[in-house]
Amino acid sequence: MNNKAGNAGGSYIEMTFSNARKAENEFFTVENMFKEQLNITKPNTFETSSTRIYYDSAYTYFKGTQEVIMHPNKEHASNTYIAYVADKHSNNAIELWFDKSEKSRKNDEVAEKKWFLAILKNIKFREGNEA
């Protein structure tokens, strides 16, 4: 299942839900996802009582048809946030992307990161909702 929620400014959140995750392939899945999307292999991680969360961010833009990925620095704040949230008690997982538009880039990066982490910490999977 894939959901996209956007606003008039062009920012959006996209989520992909899976209930066919294989726990033994989790690290491989995470590593490949972050390598492909942000050109990193070791995202930030933390756990809640029921989930394992992998996340990171970057500043991305297109130069012609080529996507350029830059990791956050003083000159370029993140405009793309990505997370993989795995349920510890089932095969369920969520891949989540948050992309900001040019119009919304004036936001406070620290507050934005706190907002994104608060969303990740509050993801709950329903018990008994496995494939």
Side-chain angles (χ1 to χ4, degrees), residues 2-72:
N2 193 336
N3 292 310
K4 229 182 221 188
N7 67 27
S11 297
Y12 70 90
I13 293 178
E14 180 177 341
M15 289 186 297
T16 302
F17 174 78
S18 171
N19 61 0
R21 173 181 71 90
K22 292 184 179 177
E24 63 272 12
N25 294 339
E26 184 174 305
F27 181 76
F28 178 75
T29 300
V30 168
E31 188 176 70
N32 284 335
M33 178 181 140
F34 282 89
K35 179 73 175 158
E36 180 181 311
Q37 299 296 320
L38 297 180
N39 200 28
I40 60 168
T41 55
K42 294 187 186 231
N44 298 304
T45 63
F46 68 92
E47 294 190 17
T48 67
S49 60
S50 61
T51 60
R52 274 183 302 283
I53 300 167
Y54 307 87
Y55 72 96
D56 220 313
S57 63
Y59 175 76
T60 61
Y61 67 95
F62 282 90
K63 188 174 186 178
T65 58
Q66 182 70 34
E67 183 177 30
V68 178
I69 300 168
M70 298 176 67
H71 294 280

Side-chain angles (χ1 to χ4, degrees), residues 72-124:
N73 58 43
K74 290 180 182 180
E75 206 174 303
H76 298 288
S78 295
N79 63 352
T80 301
Y81 295 80
I82 297 176
Y84 183 89
V85 182
D87 184 13
K88 291 180 179 178
H89 309 292
S90 72
N91 290 333
N92 297 331
I94 291 175
E95 293 178 13
L96 187 131
W97 293 264
F98 169 58
D99 287 313
K100 296 188 313 184
S101 71
E102 285 288 334
K103 295 175 186 173
S104 67
R105 292 207 179 136
K106 295 175 186 169
N107 295 346
D108 177 8
E109 185 178 11
V110 173
E112 206 164 70
K113 185 176 179 179
K114 284 182 182 179
W115 170 80
F116 188 68
L117 292 175
I119 289 172
L120 299 178
K121 289 176 186 175
N122 285 291
I123 291 176
K124 308 276 189 266

